[in-house]
Amino acid sequence: MKISIIGTGYVGLVTGACLAEQGHQVQCVDISADRVASLNRAESPIFEAGLEDLLRRHVGRSLSATTDLDAAVSSSEVTFIAVGTPFNGHEIDLTAVLTATRQIGAALKRKTGYHVVVVKSTVVPGTTDERVLPELESASGKTAGVDFGVGMNPEFLSEGEAVNDSLFPDRIVLGGIDERTIDLLERLYEPFEADVPRLRVNTRTAEMIKYASNSLLATLVSFSNELANLGAALGGIDTVEVMRGVQLSQYFRGQTKGGLPPITSFLNAGCGFGGSCLPKDVSALIVHGRRAGSSMSLLESVIRINQAQPRKTVELLTKHWPSLEGVRVAILGLSFKPETSDVRESPAFPIMRELLTKGAVLTAYDPVARHEAEKAFPDPAVTYCDTLDAAIANIDAVIVVTPWKEFRDVPARLIGRQVVFVDGRRHFDKHLVAQYEGIGL
Ligand code: NAD
């Protein structure tokens, strides 16, 4: 495939070299004439292991560099935008992305034939759809989805390992405005290892995957530092030993059936965590830290976010009914997780409290925790049911709080009924019910 890449920094250059290695014809474009000249001499302007080997192999054959963006776009089928997106102290600075976009658009105006423009730079969700696409349309006078495609393909390479990461990616995220764009990206990445997971998503999701990945890593570092600072304030604790004790958990070392470490099951959005340990232990550590003069702001946020999730879950219903007065809702699952009768700190209770405040009429069911729940939340306004059938017999909505196996066929039982299905754990296939709602959708 003929590819042009705008921006020849860490991402653009490494991507270009690796795409050339995979058999594509690549032109790298940069505004820096020095950078372009050095590249055309097969000299890398940055140090990355293996990069100069790739340049020596491909420069002058399938890889070249130029300052002429227009010519590079005109003679290629796909253009990647890989320019910088710094944070300017207030917000993401899209100046370079939008300048490059306008230049690409101007080149497309003169070009005949279908072309795909792919954002590889890290951009905040919505940028590709709301900023890049309109800019391309206005500069080219053409229509996205008809005359050209727009994609978003975030980069996950890490400096120092860039060539290896790029040649052997752990995942390939293929974002696009339509199937045609994503299909083309799929073909472009065909030469890469067949078993690398490829995710076909819309552009906003692609953008978000990149930020979610980086934010998680940043959060883990700050989490470790918050605990390290607490350990130092308390005295007699070595955080290296603490983190070693955490890292040895089967959550990090084990493997699920899907081949992923079990910790990944915690990367699931929903109505919040409960149970006999997480809420009380995190809360106790926050207070202990405060007393030791150590701020626990990250863990405080953890609790605050968790306390808000039940309300967020109920808000999914207010999308359908501005007032929940008299709306009949079945709460399915009352234990804090499946396979236990423990209802301590179950998110089912704040959800039921919120619904009752709003005037909803509740039935509730749990395969094993029904009686524990009735004792913990003995509100006469809630009808606790002995069977799933009874709970969902006459309802307008259902909220699955705990994904017990018995609830697997609830979506099938709702077919043909006007019932809003709220998946409190994002456990079900969203296509199985007509009126599906879930956190983070
Ligand atoms: P960089 O600053 O190293 O390179 C950007 C290049 O773009 C520069 O050489 C600059 O001269 C060129 N440029 C700017 N405007 C141009 C234009 N209109 N036409 C042609 N060239 C132009 O940036 P980078 O580190 O490669 O990062 C690029 C993007 O990739 C950023 O959004 C970044 O967040 C993201 N990213 C970076 C890394 C990383 O490790 N560096 C990893 C993943 C994603």
Side-chain angles (χ1 to χ4, degrees):
M1 226 173 249
K2 289 186 174 156
I3 298 165
S4 47
I5 301 182
I6 317 303
T8 308
Y10 278 89
V11 167
L13 174 54
V14 172
T15 302
C18 292
L19 288 173
E21 174 76 1
Q22 298 290 9
H24 295 297
Q25 285 288 329
V26 181
Q27 292 184 75
C28 289
V29 180
D30 208 285
I31 43 177
S32 159
D34 286 349
R35 191 162 272 242
V36 164
S38 113
L39 241 171
N40 282 329
R41 292 193 301 271
E43 288 167 13
S44 173
I46 54 169
F47 177 77
E48 272 300 332
L51 184 55
E52 283 212 335
D53 284 347
L54 288 182
L55 296 186
R56 274 194 292 273
R57 255 209 308 282
H58 300 296
V59 167
R61 284 175 281 275
S62 52
L63 183 64
S64 62
T66 177
T67 53
D68 189 345
L69 182 146
D70 191 282
V73 171
S74 304
S75 57
S76 57
E77 305 150 72
V78 187
T79 301
F80 281 93
I81 300 175
V83 298
T85 50
F87 182 71
N88 65 15
H90 302 286
E91 60 179 353
I92 186 170
D93 182 351
L94 293 172
T95 310
V97 168
L98 296 177
T99 305
T101 301
R102 271 189 293 277
Q103 293 167 335
I104 297 165
L108 290 183
K109 188 175 194 155
R110 290 181 283 276
K111 193 192 165 204
T112 50
Y114 181 74
H115 195 94
V116 169
V117 180
V118 184
V119 178
K120 200 170 226 332
S121 298
T122 303
V123 292
V124 289
T127 304
T128 303
D129 274 2
E130 292 163 18
R131 307 292 300 276
V132 173
L133 185 152
E135 201 70 58
L136 284 170
E137 287 192 326
S138 89
S140 67
K142 295 184 173 178
T143 308
V146 179
D147 306 309
F148 63 90
V150 184
M152 204 289 145
N153 169 227
E155 180 54 57
F156 298 102
L157 65 76
S158 133
E159 288 178 21
E161 300 285 333
V163 170
N164 198 54
D165 288 349
S166 196
L167 278 178
F168 305 102
D170 47 11
R171 68 210 123 146
I172 301 174
V173 175
L174 309 168
I177 56 163
D178 52 21
E179 294 297 305
R180 190 176 177 190
T181 303
I182 301 177
D183 287 346
L184 182 135
L185 278 172
E186 189 120 41
R187 281 203 302 285
L188 189 144
Y189 280 105
E190 217 163 59
F192 288 76
E193 284 181 343
D195 59 353
V196 178
R198 286 148 164 91
L199 269 84
R200 293 172 65 100
V201 291
N202 64 26
T203 58
R204 286 161 176 268
T205 305
E207 291 162 334
M208 191 65 155
I209 289 171
K210 175 66 190 174
Y211 281 94
S213 303
N214 276 356
S215 302
L216 174 65
L217 300 182
T219 305
L220 291 181
V221 173
S222 288
F223 166 79
S224 305
N225 285 332
E226 184 163 290
L227 289 203
N229 294 340
L230 172 63
L234 294 174
I237 296 168
D238 185 341
T239 195
V240 171
E241 290 169 359
V242 172
M243 290 307 159
R244 183 79 186 126
V246 173
Q247 289 158 5
L248 287 173
S249 145
Q250 56 84 23
Y251 282 124
F252 291 98
R253 298 200 302 159
Q255 254 195 18
T256 60
K257 270 188 223 143
L260 298 171
I263 191 73
T264 52
S265 67
F266 286 79
L267 288 174
N268 265 335
C271 57
F273 61 79
S276 63
C277 294
L278 298 193
K280 88 171 170 59
D281 292 349
V282 175
S283 300
L285 198 65
I286 290 169
V287 174
H288 200 54
R290 229 182 267 145
R291 285 188 186 144
S294 197
S295 150
M296 304 298 289
S297 51
L298 181 57
L299 291 187
E300 281 170 13
S301 301
V302 167
I303 293 293
R304 225 177 9 254
I305 292 166
N306 197 53
Q307 285 170 342
Q309 286 313 96
R311 200 180 62 244
K312 295 263 173 213
T313 308
V314 172
E315 278 169 14
L316 296 172
L317 286 183
T318 51
K319 278 163 71 177
H320 295 263
W321 295 277
S323 160
L324 293 180
E325 194 66 48
V327 174
R328 299 162 302 171
V329 185
I331 305 296
L332 299 186
L334 302 165
S335 57
F336 82 95
K337 66 173 186 178
E339 310 306 328
T340 178
S341 57
D342 195 346
V343 297
R344 280 177 289 179
E345 301 288 333
S346 169
F349 302 138
I351 287 174
M352 293 203 288
R353 213 170 289 124
E354 179 82 7
L355 285 166
L356 290 174
T357 314
K358 292 189 177 317
V361 178
L362 302 186
T363 53
Y365 171 72
D366 188 285
V368 303
R370 173 225 194 283
H371 295 293
E372 285 78 358
E374 202 166 357
K375 265 186 261 158
F377 196 90
D379 196 309
V382 180
T383 306
Y384 287 93
C385 301
D386 289 324
T387 64
L388 174 60
D389 282 337
I392 63 172
N394 294 302
I395 49 162
D396 303 301
V398 53
I399 301 180
V400 178
V401 176
T402 320
W404 283 95
K405 283 195 196 86
E406 188 184 339
F407 301 155
R408 245 186 327 218
D409 64 345
V410 170
R413 294 206 209 180
L414 297 181
I415 288 172
R417 293 173 60 184
Q418 281 292 320
V419 173
V420 175
F421 181 88
V422 177
D423 183 354
R425 297 292 179 187
R426 294 309 303 272
H427 180 75
F428 294 84
D429 179 346
K430 62 187 175 199
H431 305 292
L432 288 181
V433 272
Q435 298 192 81
Y436 178 95
E437 294 289 353
I439 292 284
L441 186 62

